[in-house]
């Protein structure tokens, strides 16, 4: 695997709505927030700036560390409390593995963020579109996800999702090596596929029903 692809493994450029900077300041501010706006986009789709963020094909309540949707970060929307709980658990696992001060700071400030940032980011807790908006975190002038230990932890976790085991393949009908759980990536540029990527195996598609 080439250096550039190895570095980008587990990441994808996706639309990001806002940033939250949790760097402590001398004025006592605990965080700062800002919207990422594309000045060339239409008014209806103003927040369309794409940023490289951690990405994985997921289902149910499956969190991504640091940069995720506000339903996980702030616990709003459908199953928001469950998603937020899983998000906290994943962040704690990351801190235990990395001992990174930015992750420690994020864990410490999350309870207050959860109660106050919904208003600061002009989010409607009952609006599905708002719950799915993605936020990135900054700390001392850099994105938390770009800190070497944090990025390495995420990519290591991503690769672990490819663990194989001997089992029955529902496509070929043979006993072979299969990936446990959800296949963690999607294929891009497939004819007739979605812009966000197509799953390698889709049980909701006609070919597999």
């Amino acid at each position: 695997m080439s250096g550039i692809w190895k570095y980008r493994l587990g990441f994808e450029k996706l639309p990001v709505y806002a940033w939250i900077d949790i760097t402590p300041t001398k004025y006592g501010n605990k965080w700062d927030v800002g919207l990422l706006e594309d000045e060339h986009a239409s008014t209806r789709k103003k927040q369309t700036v794409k940023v490289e963020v951690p990405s994985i094909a997921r289902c149910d309540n499956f969190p991504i560390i640091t940069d995720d949707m506000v339903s996980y970060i702030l616990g709003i929307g459908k199953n928001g409390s469950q998603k937020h709980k899983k998000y906290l658990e994943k962040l704690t696992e990351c801190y235990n593995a990395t001992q990174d001060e930015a992750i420690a700071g994020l864990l410490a400030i999350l309870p207050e963020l959860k109660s106050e940032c919904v208003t600061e980011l002009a989010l409607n807790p009952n609006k599905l579109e708002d719950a799915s908006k993605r936020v990135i975190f900054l700390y001392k002038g850099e994105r938390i996800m770009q800190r070497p230990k944090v990025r390495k932890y995420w990519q290591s976790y991503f690769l672990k999702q490819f663990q194989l085991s001997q089992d029955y393949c529902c496509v070929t009908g043979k006993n072979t090596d299969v990936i446990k759980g959800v296949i963690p990536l999607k294929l891009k540029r497939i004819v007739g596929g979605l812009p966000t990527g197509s799953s390698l195996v889709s049980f909701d598609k006609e070919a597999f029903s």
Side-chain angles (χ1 to χ4, degrees):
M1 185 181 293
S2 65
I4 183 63
W5 289 111
K6 184 176 181 181
Y7 181 75
R8 295 178 63 182
L9 187 66
F11 290 83
E12 182 180 1
K13 281 194 172 183
L14 296 172
V16 171
Y17 175 71
W19 53 263
I20 300 176
D21 190 338
I22 64 167
T23 308
T25 70
K26 63 181 179 180
Y27 303 107
N29 297 337
K30 295 182 178 179
W31 65 76
D32 191 15
V33 302
L35 301 183
L36 286 171
E37 299 179 349
D38 186 346
E39 60 183 10
H40 302 296
S42 65
T43 303
R44 191 172 68 85
K45 295 183 177 180
K46 197 171 183 181
Q47 285 80 29
T48 57
V49 174
K50 288 190 175 182
V51 178
E52 187 185 69
V53 294
S55 177
I56 193 170
R58 59 183 174 181
C59 61
D60 299 324
N61 300 329
F62 191 100
I64 293 174
I65 58 171
T66 68
D67 307 338
D68 206 340
M69 296 185 291
V70 295
S71 56
Y72 287 89
I73 297 171
L74 304 178
I76 69 172
K78 184 179 180 181
N79 299 324
S81 59
Q82 297 175 31
K83 290 179 179 180
H84 182 69
K85 181 180 178 181
K86 293 289 185 181
Y87 182 77
L88 282 174
E89 291 173 355
K90 187 58 61 181
L91 269 185
T92 302
E93 289 176 13
C94 178
Y95 174 71
N96 290 338
T98 64
Q99 297 294 300
D100 188 274
E101 64 174 300
I103 298 295
L106 181 53
L107 279 168
I109 209 171
L110 263 180
E112 294 179 69
L113 280 178
K114 185 181 176 185
S115 63
E116 298 181 29
C117 264
V118 173
T119 301
E120 291 185 36
L121 294 175
L123 297 168
N124 182 343
N126 300 315
K127 193 175 180 181
L128 180 62
E129 181 183 350
D130 280 11
S132 63
K133 288 178 177 177
R134 191 176 298 269
V135 172
I136 60 176
F137 284 96
L138 310 177
Y139 182 77
K140 293 185 177 179
E142 66 176 335
R143 285 182 53 200
I144 294 179
M145 180 47 72
Q146 299 298 351
R147 293 169 68 87
K149 289 182 179 180
V150 178
R151 189 180 183 98
K152 183 178 179 181
Y153 171 83
W154 169 252
Q155 291 186 309
S156 175
Y157 176 79
F158 182 87
L159 287 172
K160 287 178 182 178
Q161 308 311 303
F162 283 97
Q163 290 181 346
L164 302 177
S165 65
Q166 280 286 320
D167 209 335
Y168 173 79
C169 176
C170 63
V171 177
T172 65
K174 298 178 181 179
N175 282 315
T176 184
D177 287 333
V178 298
I179 298 176
K180 295 180 179 178
V182 178
I183 298 174
L185 54 75
K186 293 187 176 182
L187 306 179
K188 295 295 186 70
R189 298 180 182 178
I190 302 297
V191 176
L194 297 171
T196 54
S198 301
S199 298
L200 185 61
V201 177
S202 301
F203 290 98
D204 62 337
K205 303 302 179 184
E206 185 177 350
F208 304 104
S209 56

